[in-house]
Amino acid sequence: MTATARTQSDKAADTSADEIAAGETEETKKAEAADQDVTVEGSEAADGAVEADADADADEDDDEDDDEDVLDQAPRAASPGVGAGAAAVVSTVLGLAALTGTWVSDVVAERQRIVGQLGMEQTAGAAEQISTMYGDPWHLTALVNGGFALLALVVAAVVLARPAFAAPGAGHQPGWVRSFAWAGIALGALGLLVSAGMYFDLFASMPTPPTAGTGAGAGQ
């Protein structure tokens, strides 16, 4: 009976060992499966993060492209108005210069006076001296001022006429541009009239020398 009892206890011990080994095997398989699930989930999460980063980069690139397009289009849309405004202001300044005179007209008149003096004979009469020293420089000043007035008219007219020749929808001009252009028209026309009056001696006649017998000591 002792041998039989030992045999049964050995069988029971072997069965327990097999059950423990089987349990450990199942736990190992479960742990490995859990590790695989975690690994798969981690890889899926990493792929999702990579895709999200790629989408974000694509959106940023699209935004940058849109900003560049806007920056490229803005100067093109604003440049015609800026050029027309500058031309309108220039026409106004030219018209004002035609009315008040410029250093150009002063220099030209003084040069004409010097040239007349150098070419005038010593025995020139009073009428010739007046014409040389006063009349010619005065008329040349009128011509120079008239040139400024005419240039003001041309520039202002081009600014006002430009929308008629521009592409549809691109010829709109701000109000201040038209105001300066019309001011250039008005000043240029007025300067042209004043210059014409100066040249043809409409505002003041040329000085004339005194006739014989009317000067001091006449009849002596």
Side-chain angles (χ1 to χ4, degrees):
M1 292 180 66
T2 303
T4 302
R6 288 180 179 176
T7 302
Q8 292 178 352
S9 62
D10 292 337
K11 290 180 178 181
D14 293 337
T15 301
S16 299
D18 293 337
E19 292 177 353
I20 292 171
E24 291 178 353
T25 303
E26 292 178 357
E27 291 179 356
T28 302
K29 290 180 178 181
K30 290 179 180 180
E32 292 177 354
D35 292 338
Q36 291 178 355
D37 293 338
V38 171
T39 303
V40 171
E41 291 177 355
S43 62
E44 291 178 353
D47 294 338
V50 171
E51 292 177 357
D53 293 338
D55 294 337
D57 294 337
D59 293 337
E60 290 179 357
D61 293 337
D62 293 338
D63 294 337
E64 291 178 356
D65 293 337
D66 294 338
D67 294 338
E68 290 178 357
D69 294 338
V70 171
L71 292 175
D72 291 339
Q73 294 175 0
R76 295 174 186 171
S79 58
V82 172
V89 174
V90 168
S91 68
T92 303
V93 174
L94 289 174
L96 186 61
L99 285 175
T100 60
T102 63
W103 66 270
V104 177
S105 60
D106 294 338
V107 170
V108 171
E110 188 64 26
R111 181 181 183 278
Q112 180 62 33
R113 184 177 292 109
I114 294 174
V115 171
Q117 283 182 338
L118 294 176
M120 187 173 55
E121 297 179 357
Q122 297 292 333
T123 59
E128 185 179 354
Q129 292 180 6
I130 292 173
S131 177
T132 302
M133 299 298 295
Y134 175 78
D136 294 343
W138 177 261
H139 293 159
L140 192 57
T141 300
L143 287 177
V144 174
N145 291 342
F148 276 95
L150 185 61
L151 186 59
L153 285 173
V154 171
V155 174
V158 170
V159 172
L160 292 175
R162 182 184 175 280
F165 300 97
H172 176 71
Q173 290 180 341
W176 67 271
V177 174
R178 295 192 298 271
S179 298
F180 272 100
W182 280 113
I185 290 286
L187 291 173
L190 186 58
L192 197 60
L193 291 175
V194 172
S195 299
M198 290 174 59
Y199 186 81
F200 293 105
D201 301 325
L202 299 179
F203 304 121
S205 60
M206 289 287 294
T208 56
T211 59
T214 60
Q220 294 181 358

